[in-house]
DNA sequence: CTGGACCTTCCCATCATGGGAAGGTCAACG
DNA sequence: CGTTGACCTTCCCATGATGGGAAGGTCCAG
């Protein structure tokens, strides 16, 4: 199977399949004499696994770990569960931060007349920082997986 | 004022202040004979504005627009309000996607015994894609500002 | 045998941010 | 005066996941 067919079948873009190979997330694909990559059902299975994990917001690094557990017949479901729980916590925290920002901005917007005059509480708050969620260094986390892995209909999926 | 003092006073890292200057978000700073950048209160004010906008999750591109409105004495608060409302909608959507993922993964984790055996519904779902939030191409939005701009306590802020 | 669809590799862009190197400046202290 | 350490300058590179596109090779149907 060509990379294009594998892409359509797995819902992972060809570009990404090559990238995953380059970073060792999937093993180097078999090659035909022409140099074309050749995929089988096992490869599709693995790509599907990766895609579903991405759909749940896992980073490629964590997916690497999950793939390891997947192929380990002696794995402990406690390990998997721990990773999942930790990820849930991170997702919730990111969602909370976004909601905090949305709430703050929504109330600022609600306080704005929007009547065409220059007078604007939103601008005023940006100037002074009033009612803007403060930076709380204790709970800061800079290194988190991207917001939404959402690809745009790579397959008729 | 040095860039370091400006950084501490505004809560924007020196690195970022230079970056903002390089992309034209702030005007080129005055220079002393030594070549050091020199900041005044107006500059601090502008940097503070940018920081607060970042704290609300605005992208630098949108902040550019907001800065334009800020310095426009004839601005319409309706314009500001429209930008804010659009941003609120985006924030909410991102939060919703994260919560969807968290919900799905939480229920998978709840279904996992975590008793040390290899048997695991989480892994099973990643294999099959069952109970994993599907990719809904219609509502997809790839180009959104980062999840949390949170910097790590650049100032004693 | 040709055209178009597909594949290959390689480089570049995104977005906001930080790390670090190589070298210049400044202020305080001995 | 000299040194030291904190600070500044510019420049390049990295992140993470993804896409765009160029230059060139392959495959198959007409």
């Amino acid at each position: 199977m060509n990379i294009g067919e594998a892409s359509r079948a797995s819902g992972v873009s060809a570009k990404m399949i090559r990238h995953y190979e380059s970073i060792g997330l999937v093993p180097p694909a078999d090659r035909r004499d022409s140099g074309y990559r050749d995929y089988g059902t096992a490869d599709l299975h693995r790509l599907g696994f990766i895609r579903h994990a991405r759909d749940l917001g896992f980073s490629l690094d964590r997916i690497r770990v999950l793939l390891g557990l997947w192929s380990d017949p002696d794995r402990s479901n406690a390990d998997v569960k721990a990773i999942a729980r930790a990820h849930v916590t991170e997702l919730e925290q990111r969602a909370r931060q976004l909601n905090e920002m949305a709430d703050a901005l929504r109330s600022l917007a609600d306080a704005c007349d929007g009547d065409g005059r220059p007078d604007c509480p939103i601008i005023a708050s940006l100037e002074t920082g009033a009612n803007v969620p403060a930076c709380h260094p204790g709970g800061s986390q800079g290194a988190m997986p991207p917001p939404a892995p959402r690809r745009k209909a790579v397959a008729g999926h």
Side-chain angles (χ1 to χ4, degrees), chain A:
Chain A
M1 193 166 29
N2 272 348
I3 197 172
E5 298 170 277
S7 167
R8 261 157 286 165
S10 67
V12 178
S13 77
K15 215 74 172 167
M16 278 304 100
I17 296 177
R18 293 195 197 96
H19 180 57
Y20 293 164
E21 180 180 319
S22 84
I23 63 172
L25 206 60
V26 300
D30 286 347
R31 298 289 184 137
R32 282 190 280 216
D33 289 351
S34 62
Y36 282 23
R37 286 175 181 79
D38 199 8
Y39 295 92
T41 48
D43 302 304
L44 283 192
H45 205 189
R46 193 173 180 92
L47 288 171
F49 185 100
I50 294 174
R51 189 171 95 74
H52 300 315
R54 288 295 300 138
D55 282 344
L56 287 171
F58 283 102
S59 72
L60 295 187
D61 257 359
R62 271 190 210 273
I63 293 176
R64 200 186 295 273
V65 177
L66 290 173
L67 283 168
L69 288 169
W70 183 31
S71 58
D72 177 3
D74 298 329
R75 69 166 168 263
S76 158
N77 54 12
D79 292 346
V80 180
K81 191 169 180 172
I83 292 175
R85 285 249 184 263
H87 189 58
V88 166
T89 302
E90 288 177 16
L91 290 170
E92 287 169 340
Q93 192 182 342
R94 281 200 278 156
R96 230 178 297 123
Q97 285 183 346
L98 291 173
N99 277 323
E100 251 177 60
M101 294 192 279
D103 289 347
L105 191 54
R106 200 183 310 109
S107 55
L108 287 176
D110 285 347
C112 177
D113 286 343
D115 55 4
R117 283 176 309 146
D119 186 54
C120 181
I122 303 169
I123 292 283
S125 275
L126 289 173
E127 283 191 57
T128 65
N131 305 310
V132 169
C135 91
H136 33 186
S140 171
Q141 236 125 12
M144 258 196 216
R150 273 58 215 53
R151 71 210 68 62
K152 37 182 155 179
V154 60
H157 198 70

